[in-house]
């Protein structure tokens, strides 16, 4: 299935499969891909298939749509094309493209680390990237419920993906300005301190409680606590 990889400032936020005949992109909530940013028009652009090809069309947006740095009105997408809408980037990957970290512009010096919940809502499986960790973690996530209650996961990479694929997935990104969490997959959004996360990236602060896929966890960003856990 062709797909788009949405990123902001080089940080991947989510991957969206293009399963529908038409996929709309815009700021308003009825779009298939919602980008909640004032630089994005309510109905900004649309992607659709025709005779086996995939086209991107700008819908008369205020700030326009560019592909590989060039403004377009209608464009036949090729695998690897970079679509820019406001400050956001959507990389188009054709059906069968591998979509590896390098292809979606994840910093390869910070390998993607995935922590997925297993079949039940109270279990967690961890796959560590190869090689050692570069320096101490600045933050961690502590599991509060389920079989892994009390376990602490250090957020030492640029991206940490948590959740149950096919059910509910979120990504925690490490940026120069702090840590952010964003919804990636699932009809139900995660909550932060009991408040629905929504579609926008949300900054995390020490002691925030995240609830995702039936598991509650606490974001810890207190140096003394991290050192004690180590």
């Amino acid at each position: 299935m062709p797909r788009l990889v949405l990123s902001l400032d080089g940080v991947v936020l989510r991957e969206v499969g293009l399963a529908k005949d038409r996929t709309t992109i815009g700021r308003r909530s009825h779009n298939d891909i919602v980008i909640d940013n004032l630089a994005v028009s309510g109905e900004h652009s649309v992607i659709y298939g025709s005779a086996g090809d995939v086209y991107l069309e700008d819908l008369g947006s205020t700030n326009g749509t560019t592909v590989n740095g060039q403004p377009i009105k209608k464009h036949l997408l090729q695998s690897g094309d970079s679509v820019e809408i406001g400050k956001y980037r959507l990389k188009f990957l054709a059906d069968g493209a591998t979509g590896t970290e390098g292809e979606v512009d994840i910093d390869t010096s910070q390998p993607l680390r995935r922590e997925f919940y297993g079949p039940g809502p109270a279990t967690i499986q961890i796959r560590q990237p190869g090689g050692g960790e570069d320096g101490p973690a600045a933050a961690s996530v502590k599991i509060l419920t389920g079989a892994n209650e009390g376990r602490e996961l250090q957020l030492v990479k640029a991206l940490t993906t948590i959740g149950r694929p096919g059910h509910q997935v979120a990504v925690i990104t490490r940026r120069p300005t702090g840590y952010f969490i964003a919804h990636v997959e699932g009809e139900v959004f995660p909550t932060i301190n009991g408040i629905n996360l929504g579609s926008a990236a949300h900054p995390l602060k020490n002691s925030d409680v995240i609830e995702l896929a039936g598991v509650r966890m606490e974001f810890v960003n207190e140096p003394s606590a991290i050192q004690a856990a180590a």
Side-chain angles (χ1 to χ4, degrees):
M1 176 193 308
R3 58 201 190 279
L4 294 172
V5 179
L6 175 66
S7 62
L8 175 65
D9 297 331
V11 177
V12 174
L13 301 179
R14 69 188 65 181
E15 184 174 305
V16 181
L18 300 176
K20 299 174 63 176
D21 292 336
R22 288 173 59 88
T23 300
T24 58
I25 305 169
R27 192 175 71 252
R28 294 181 181 170
S29 60
H30 63 259
N31 288 284
D32 299 300
I33 301 175
V34 178
I35 303 178
D36 188 11
N37 185 275
L38 292 178
V40 181
S41 295
E43 291 87 23
H44 198 101
S45 57
V46 63
I47 294 175
Y48 60 92
S50 177
D53 292 324
V54 180
Y55 291 88
L56 168 71
E57 184 173 348
D58 185 83
L59 296 176
S61 64
T62 301
N63 295 310
T65 302
T66 65
V67 177
N68 303 324
Q70 300 299 316
I72 62 96
K73 291 297 183 184
K74 183 177 179 181
H75 176 82
L76 173 61
L77 287 168
Q78 304 294 323
S79 189
D81 276 351
S82 175
V83 180
E84 294 86 30
I85 296 178
K87 293 183 179 181
Y88 290 79
R89 175 181 175 186
L90 298 103
K91 187 163 187 177
F92 175 72
L93 296 173
D95 192 12
T98 59
T100 62
E101 284 82 356
E103 287 179 314
V104 295
D105 292 335
I106 297 174
D107 183 357
T108 54
S109 68
Q110 299 286 333
L112 179 62
R113 176 184 180 183
R114 297 180 175 90
E115 281 118 10
F116 288 132
Y117 295 110
T123 60
I124 188 167
Q125 298 174 340
I126 302 171
R127 297 202 297 269
Q128 297 285 0
E133 307 291 348
D134 296 328
S140 68
V141 170
K142 184 177 181 179
I143 308 299
L144 301 178
T145 60
N148 290 283
E149 181 178 350
R151 186 164 188 176
E152 197 158 340
L153 311 174
Q154 294 190 346
L155 306 175
V156 296
K157 300 301 178 183
L159 285 155
T160 300
T161 306
I162 56 176
R164 283 200 295 155
H167 177 64
Q168 193 177 23
V169 178
V171 63
I172 297 175
T173 58
R174 184 180 186 180
R175 305 182 188 177
T177 55
Y179 286 82
F180 292 77
I181 185 170
H183 176 71
V184 174
E185 178 184 342
E187 295 182 0
V188 179
F189 292 99
T191 64
I192 308 294
N193 303 322
I195 300 173
N196 190 298
L197 178 62
S199 59
H202 181 86
L204 287 168
K205 62 182 184 297
N206 186 47
S207 299
D208 275 349
V209 175
I210 305 163
E211 186 164 349
L212 174 73
V215 175
R216 295 175 70 243
M217 59 198 81
E218 180 184 9
F219 175 74
V220 181
N221 193 17
E222 190 175 20
S224 59
I226 298 295
Q227 292 167 7

